[in-house]
Amino acid sequence: MLSRRSATFLRPASIAVTLFATDLRTSSAPRPSFATSVAIVACLLLQSTSSRPVQAQARDTNLKVASASQPDDASARRARDAGRLDVVEAIRRSDPIALDGRLSEPDWANAPVISNFVQSDPVEGAQPTERTEVRVLYDNDAIYITARMFDSAPDSILARLGRRDADLDSDHFVVFLDPYRDMKTGNYFGVNAAGTLYDGVLMNDDWDDESWDGVWEAKTSIDEEGWTAEFRIPYSQLRFYKADEYTWGINFRRGIARKNERNYLVYTPRSGSGFVSRFPELTGLRDISPRRQVEVLPYATTRAEFVDHADGDPFNDGSRFTPDFGADFKVGLTSNLTLNGTVNPDFGQVEVDPAVVNLSDFETFFPEKRPFFIEGENIFRQFGRGGANNNWGFNFGNPQFFYSRRIGRAPQGSLTANDYARVSDGTRILGAAKITGRIGEGWNVGMIQSVTGRSRADIELAGTRSKIEVEPLSYYGVYRGQRELNSGRQAIGFMSTATARNFGDDRLRDQINASALTFAVDGYTFIGKNRDYVLTGFVGGSRVAGNETRMTSLQRSSLHYFGRPDSDYLEVDSSATSLTGTAARFALNKQNGRVQFNAALGYLSPGFDISDVGFMFRTNIINGHVVVGYTWPDPGKVFRSRYHFLSFFNSADFDGNTTWRGVWSGNFVEFANYHSVDLFLAYNPETVNTRLTRGGPVTLNQPGYEIGFEYDTDSRKKVVMEFGVNTYRQKDSDNVNYYTEAVVQPASNVSFAIQPRLNINNEFSQYVGAFDDPLAQTTFGRRYVFANLEQRTVSASIRLNWTFSPALSLQLFAQPLISAGEYFNYKELRVPRTYDFLHYGEGSSTFDETTLVADPDGNGPAPALNLPNRDFNFRSLRGTAVARWEFRPGSTLYLVWTQSRSDAEEFGDLRFRQSFSDLVREKADNIFMVKVSWWLSR
């Protein structure tokens, strides 16, 4: 809804990150030590105090800490390219403002009128088809903004009502503010013609994030002249340097949905970059003394659980009632530095995570949904992603140094022998505090401190009950800082995390890291007078510590795979009590113009590990890519816009194996009727696979190709459709994913969406297991067994939104999933560094399909293998109903009902009708929750 350019413009980057990741292959390289990386980091930090440009020390950062500087010549010139560099004047109000959207107060008539808007869409640079008038007032506590949107056909105004931040095609008006006047960051506040509120943060000059929710007000009214919007935005929701007189950045946007028209005071050209840096100045704010920000949000909850349970379970009789209370608080330490804290926080999720069937050796990533961590998270999350307006991936798996879902995670420790057990879903967060804002000359800072309690499980064995520790008392610390230099042409930043655990049960020392530390720097430097290119990068190191048993297990884990028998580089050190590693990536991106260019080179060393408080998919990779493209942003008779991209990519490991390479093409076309088509193609030649045997010898990846296609209809209509298919095919394997989505809006306040999916996966070499056999000398004393897998997965996401008013809404969400997989044609790897297999039952080998007993040499000396039955039929249905009432600004009442049911059996047929019937009959777990929070402020 609020991006300055069409969402499809950004799709190439997201496609590259998620679909085509490739790994650059280079010769083996010496492993940088942790001490070396820390020395590099220290040198870079020392450079940040100098006035000279930063020399590409970091990767791509997203958060820019700004010195409160004025625009340089290039910024001013770019602003004039998309409209005049206007000055917006605010005047102090003399009478109270009744926020009703009717603009009846005399002060509005006396305020200067801003009306020189310019089209960005559909005709860039043209005059708007409808007139808009904006006025700005202020007092000691807030800034007030009104907009009169004249409309020649007021009965055609699209006024669709939805929950806060709902993505609706509706007439709307948005205020963008840059209170620091750093030309990089800020906030936006929007409202549509029906009164639905939108807000979020602006960052990296071009990006926005809607996860932030402020406490502010806006009212709208529709009349015979069009519609009006009236805003009150308290200073407590903004951050700025205290001064006698203020100069902020400001911009406005009006959207006319039926025409797909967007009008700005100053816009970003389609072939340009930079949004916040183009904002006109807001002047006139003087002699204001905003009160010190102090906010308290106490809450109370009642939770009732009715769940399935085993007969005789002493810890679960099928029901449980849990009342609870706590409070969040926010204190403005200064006008530009805020302390957030929480006591006994309520971190229950309103919407459940989706069900997944993960047969890989990669961890599943789930997004954060807890408000305390979401607010202001961009300062941490955007580490290593700043400066550039496009960041491409290609299988690098950029490490996320802070993954907030590690805090309060499910207990990691194992259970001892038991007949019955009760384990909590998550560890208790005893307290958490967060400081974000700015200090000194342009330093943007963030810090999180959190402590989670010791978690104990109740167990019963042979009638005797006891408690065992499954998660130790833990401390998590996250530290972030960044500073801009030379009017924002360079930036340097750092990020560090720390984890420390106190074990009450020594048994857990063998299972969980005792401590972890990471430290990294990032930054960027623009190149060229008009900032046409940017060089970005990051470099960092990690160290985890624990006892010898834990460190040996960590080295052999799927994240590292030390001890691979044919590796000359990855040796297991069974006496180690720590593991260190480094990572770095540098990228060059073209920021402006129709010709697109992006290139990157990076590595993650085998010992790099940030998983205690971060997230990463893999290590042991050296990766690079080059992307070139061309965009046609100007509308014509047939096309509104289109782009074409071509990329080459390569990945290697530290042994010198080429693990992935290929070529990819991404193509997008938006037609004059606002329908669009995405098409992408990729080809991968034969490469080495270091993960198929899951810690065993390497094999080969067969050549393969990928095709993806998606068609989207006009989002303005009452029925919006999406159709897509993507497939990846190799000689012996193929995977096809079909999906569609229908969004229906039968009324202005009701929307229904359903997104069914069908995945067909035919895998020739699905991993089954590894079995010791000293006679298997070719494969280093183990037999690595695989099978064909035929997997069929049917799923859907179903969502109903019914909004009664901007403050009262009901949302229903359901996710059914049925996945079945059948294993057959069992075989073992015959020779490493090949894709050659010994098929059981052929030649001298034997195989019993009933008992799954395989004998690799029949009557020979090799022992028979008792293979596990991996066939599965998994069924799940998860749903949530949420009624939300914001009975006063910032204060909310929730009524929540969550239901989940699931079952699994050992057969591989999909049997859709039977599986769905069994799922409906399955006993359900029901959770009911009432939560009320009351926002208090002074």
Side-chain angles (χ1 to χ4, degrees):
M1 162 78 188
L2 292 171
S3 59
R4 265 72 57 198
R5 51 188 76 189
S6 65
T8 51
F9 185 87
L10 299 178
R11 282 182 187 165
S14 61
I15 290 173
V17 171
T18 45
L19 296 179
F20 307 115
T22 51
D23 330 338
L24 169 96
R25 164 91 11 106
T26 23
S27 59
S28 59
R31 185 188 311 181
S33 69
F34 183 69
T36 301
S37 66
V38 171
I40 295 172
V41 167
C43 291
L44 294 177
L45 285 177
L46 288 174
Q47 286 188 1
S48 71
T49 60
S50 146
S51 60
R52 294 172 297 183
V54 177
Q55 302 298 318
Q57 299 100 326
R59 142 129 162 119
D60 20 315
T61 318
N62 206 23
L63 224 22
K64 310 194 166 177
V65 181
S67 49
S69 56
Q70 297 301 314
D72 58 16
D73 292 340
S75 297
R77 183 163 50 254
R78 293 206 327 268
R80 287 194 294 270
D81 289 341
R84 293 184 297 277
L85 191 62
D86 298 309
V87 174
V88 175
E89 184 182 359
I91 64 171
R92 182 179 285 272
R93 71 169 179 84
S94 56
D95 298 310
I97 301 293
L99 208 68
D100 54 13
R102 301 190 182 279
L103 320 187
S104 56
E105 291 80 6
D107 281 337
W108 290 125
N110 299 326
V113 177
I114 303 102
S115 60
N116 49 337
F117 283 71
V118 183
Q119 268 194 51
S120 67
D121 291 291
V123 183
E124 185 176 288
Q127 288 298 307
T129 61
E130 308 286 354
R131 179 175 171 80
T132 305
E133 294 182 351
V134 181
R135 296 169 171 84
V136 183
L137 301 174
Y138 72 95
D139 60 19
N140 273 346
D141 298 314
I143 185 170
Y144 301 82
I145 297 160
T146 64
R148 156 60 75 177
M149 276 69 67
F150 293 97
D151 200 306
S152 57
D155 57 342
S156 298
I157 293 171
L158 279 178
R160 290 173 174 165
L161 189 60
R163 295 188 316 144
R164 184 169 183 156
D165 290 327
D167 187 8
L168 304 170
D169 269 289
S170 180
D171 285 48
H172 64 269
F173 184 82
V174 187
V175 178
F176 303 93
L177 292 174
D178 173 15
Y180 280 127
R181 194 54 176 150
D182 62 11
M183 294 179 228
K184 300 291 183 184
T185 63
N187 299 82
Y188 66 82
F189 305 86
V191 65
N192 73 11
T196 298
L197 301 183
Y198 306 88
D199 57 6
V201 296
L202 305 170
M203 53 195 172
N204 200 38
D205 198 6
D206 277 294
W207 301 351
D208 61 67
D209 183 351
E210 67 177 18
S211 61
W212 176 79
D213 285 329
V215 181
W216 56 283
E217 298 176 84
K219 300 294 182 181
T220 61
S221 178
I222 299 177
D223 56 30
E224 67 279 359
E225 292 186 301
W227 69 285
T228 56
E230 193 171 22
F231 295 76
R232 181 183 184 275
I233 303 170
Y235 301 133
S236 65
Q237 304 305 299
L238 305 172
R239 293 177 181 174
F240 49 88
Y241 293 109
K242 188 171 178 58
D244 295 330
E245 186 169 350
Y246 298 89
T247 300
W248 294 356
I250 194 169
N251 203 356
F252 308 111
R253 185 180 80 200
R254 178 187 179 180
I256 307 174
R258 69 182 184 275
K259 302 178 181 181
N260 261 349
E261 180 177 335
R262 291 186 176 188
N263 303 315
Y264 288 86
L265 208 55
V266 176
Y267 66 91
T268 302
R270 296 190 184 105
S271 58
S273 66
F275 179 63
V276 182
S277 58
R278 301 174 184 270
F279 286 8
E281 292 182 350
L282 172 65
T283 64
L285 301 175
R286 59 177 63 89
D287 299 326
I288 62 174
S289 301
R291 293 175 294 179
R292 182 179 182 183
Q293 179 188 14
V294 177
E295 300 177 11
V296 180
L297 188 70
Y299 81 87
T301 66
T302 298
R303 180 184 176 100
E305 302 179 35
F306 302 93
V307 299
D308 189 22
H309 64 288
D311 293 336
D313 188 340
F315 306 117
N316 185 0
D317 64 0
S319 63
R320 182 170 58 179
F321 298 89
T322 310
D324 208 353
F325 61 91
D328 297 340
F329 63 88
K330 182 184 296 185
V331 178
L333 303 179
T334 66
S335 62
N336 54 295
L337 194 65
T338 303
L339 168 66
N340 294 70
T342 183
V343 178
N344 191 27
D346 171 41
F347 284 156
Q349 293 179 195
V350 170
E351 187 172 295
V352 295
D353 291 320
V356 295
V357 178
N358 186 351
L359 302 179
S360 74
D361 57 349
F362 294 102
E363 180 184 4
T364 300
F365 179 90
F366 292 109
E368 181 60 83
K369 300 178 182 180
R370 300 171 295 182
F372 176 83
F373 290 115
I374 287 176
E375 183 176 347
E377 71 170 346
N378 57 288
I379 190 173
F380 307 102
R381 180 166 52 88
Q382 300 303 329
F383 173 84
R385 296 175 53 202
N389 56 15
N390 276 315
N391 292 280
W392 296 73
F394 293 99
N395 257 9
F396 180 67
N398 200 51
Q400 185 171 318
F401 280 82
F402 176 46
Y403 179 44
S404 56
R405 290 195 62 154
R406 300 294 188 206
I407 302 176
R409 63 173 17 161
Q412 303 173 78
S414 64
L415 297 174
T416 56
N418 65 85
D419 298 320
Y420 300 98
R422 178 174 61 192
V423 184
S424 63
D425 295 331
T427 53
R428 185 73 170 181
I429 300 177
L430 302 180
K434 174 170 58 178
I435 294 178
T436 54
R438 303 199 177 194
I439 58 175
E441 296 184 5
W443 276 100
N444 200 10
V445 298
M447 180 176 66
I448 290 179
Q449 306 288 297
S450 180
V451 176
T452 59
R454 205 178 303 278
S455 183
R456 295 182 174 87
D458 297 302
I459 64 172
E460 181 176 291
L461 179 63
T464 301
R465 297 185 187 181
S466 60
K467 289 181 178 290
I468 61 168
E469 184 174 317
V470 289
E471 183 75 24
L473 179 71
S474 301
Y475 161 79
Y476 300 92
V478 186
Y479 310 87
R480 173 72 166 125
Q482 190 185 55
R483 185 186 180 188
E484 284 193 353
L485 306 168
N486 193 16
S487 298
R489 293 189 65 89
Q490 291 88 32
I492 183 72
F494 71 90
M495 188 164 183
S496 181
T497 66
T499 307
R501 297 185 173 95
N502 178 270
F503 295 97
D505 185 344
D506 287 340
R507 179 181 61 91
L508 295 183
R509 295 183 183 275
D510 296 341
Q511 305 174 29
I512 303 173
N513 298 335
S515 63
L517 176 67
T518 69
F519 188 80
V521 295
D522 66 341
Y524 61 84
T525 180
F526 284 98
I527 301 172
K529 188 175 182 180
N530 295 324
R531 305 189 182 192
D532 291 326
Y533 289 85
V534 64
L535 182 64
T536 71
F538 83 89
V539 59
S542 68
R543 182 183 187 274
V544 296
N547 67 15
E548 294 178 356
T549 301
R550 172 56 188 163
M551 290 299 101
T552 300
S553 174
L554 182 63
Q555 292 174 76
R556 296 186 181 277
S557 69
S558 62
L559 186 60
H560 302 286
Y561 282 145
F562 279 31
R564 215 177 61 224
D566 56 350
S567 173
D568 297 327
Y569 190 81
L570 304 175
E571 296 183 357
V572 173
D573 182 357
S574 59
S575 64
T577 56
S578 65
L579 180 66
T580 61
T582 60
R585 197 172 203 226
F586 299 90
L588 178 67
N589 185 70
K590 188 173 184 293
Q591 298 284 97
N592 303 308
R594 298 192 175 197
V595 176
Q596 306 289 305
F597 178 82
N598 183 276
L601 178 65
Y603 78 90
L604 303 172
S605 76
F608 186 67
D609 195 327
I610 59 174
S611 300
D612 282 84
V613 72
F615 188 94
M616 57 191 305
F617 288 101
R618 64 184 308 170
T619 59
N620 191 20
I621 182 174
I622 306 168
N623 169 275
H625 70 257
V626 174
V627 182
V628 293
Y630 194 85
T631 66
W632 289 263
D634 300 323
K637 292 183 178 180
V638 179
F639 305 113
R640 293 202 69 255
S641 64
R642 54 195 173 110
Y643 64 70
H644 302 284
F645 285 91
L646 181 67
S647 68
F648 302 90
F649 46 82
N650 199 83
S651 293
D653 67 4
F654 277 64
D655 278 311
N657 297 306
T658 299
T659 55
W660 199 247
R661 66 162 51 130
V663 59
W664 171 83
S665 173
N667 309 275
F668 170 79
V669 172
E670 185 179 31
F671 298 99
N673 64 353
Y674 294 95
H675 290 222
S676 63
V677 171
D678 264 310
L679 174 66
F680 59 83
L681 309 166
Y683 174 75
N684 308 108
E686 182 181 85
T687 51
V688 173
N689 190 320
T690 61
R691 305 185 67 88
L692 187 66
T693 56
R694 304 199 179 183
V698 301
T699 61
L700 293 181
N701 290 310
Q702 290 185 310
Y705 66 91
E706 185 166 14
I707 300 175
F709 173 84
E710 182 177 305
Y711 182 85
D712 296 272
T713 65
D714 188 347
S715 62
R716 297 172 299 172
K717 305 301 183 181
K718 289 188 176 181
V719 178
V720 182
M721 299 295 298
E722 175 187 86
F723 309 92
V725 58
N726 64 274
T727 179
Y728 189 79
R729 296 183 180 272
Q730 297 169 298
K731 178 182 178 182
D732 297 312
S733 303
D734 62 83
N735 185 292
V736 185
N737 189 42
Y738 303 93
Y739 61 93
T740 185
E741 182 177 20
V743 180
V744 183
Q745 295 178 310
S748 62
N749 65 328
V750 178
S751 68
F752 174 78
I754 180 169
Q755 185 180 48
R757 289 180 174 270
L758 171 63
N759 178 262
I760 300 173
N761 180 32
N762 298 308
E763 176 58 56
F764 179 77
S765 55
Q766 179 64 40
Y767 182 79
V768 174
F771 303 85
D772 292 330
D773 184 350
L775 299 178
Q777 297 181 5
T778 304
T779 51
F780 304 95
R782 304 192 90 189
R783 298 190 183 275
Y784 296 91
V785 179
F786 302 85
N788 283 51
L789 169 64
E790 286 189 356
Q791 182 183 6
R792 306 291 184 266
T793 302
V794 179
S795 64
S797 295
I798 305 168
R799 191 181 298 272
L800 173 66
N801 291 314
W802 191 349
T803 308
F804 306 99
S805 74
L808 180 61
S809 63
L810 173 66
Q811 183 182 74
L812 306 177
F813 173 77
Q815 189 218 29
L817 180 145
I818 301 173
S819 183
E822 181 180 6
Y823 288 71
F824 63 96
N825 187 22
Y826 289 81
K827 47 193 168 281
E828 68 176 57
L829 180 65
R830 191 191 299 270
V831 181
R833 203 170 283 272
T834 70
Y835 201 67
D836 185 19
F837 297 90
L838 168 64
H839 295 257
Y840 295 145
E842 296 181 0
S844 61
S845 67
T846 62
F847 183 70
D848 189 323
E849 294 185 359
T850 303
T851 62
L852 300 183
V853 174
D855 195 322
D857 60 357
N859 295 324
L865 306 178
N866 293 297
L867 303 180
N869 180 9
R870 301 290 193 190
D871 291 353
F872 63 88
N873 185 293
F874 175 75
R875 307 176 290 276
S876 170
L877 176 60
R878 298 185 177 189
T880 305
V882 180
R884 179 184 183 275
W885 177 34
E886 188 172 0
F887 53 90
R888 61 190 299 267
S891 302
T892 310
L893 172 67
Y894 288 99
L895 303 177
V896 182
W897 171 33
T898 298
Q899 184 182 99
S900 61
R901 57 183 77 199
S902 63
D903 192 24
E905 297 182 75
E906 290 186 349
F907 63 86
D909 299 333
L910 183 63
R911 303 178 191 176
F912 179 79
R913 181 174 297 180
Q914 177 185 334
S915 296
F916 189 79
S917 299
D918 292 343
L919 181 60
V920 172
R921 290 193 297 268
E922 189 67 28
K923 291 183 178 179
D925 294 341
N926 290 282
I927 300 174
F928 300 91
M929 186 181 74
V930 178
K931 176 182 176 181
V932 60
S933 59
W934 193 285
W935 183 73
L936 305 172
S937 176
R938 76 161 188 87

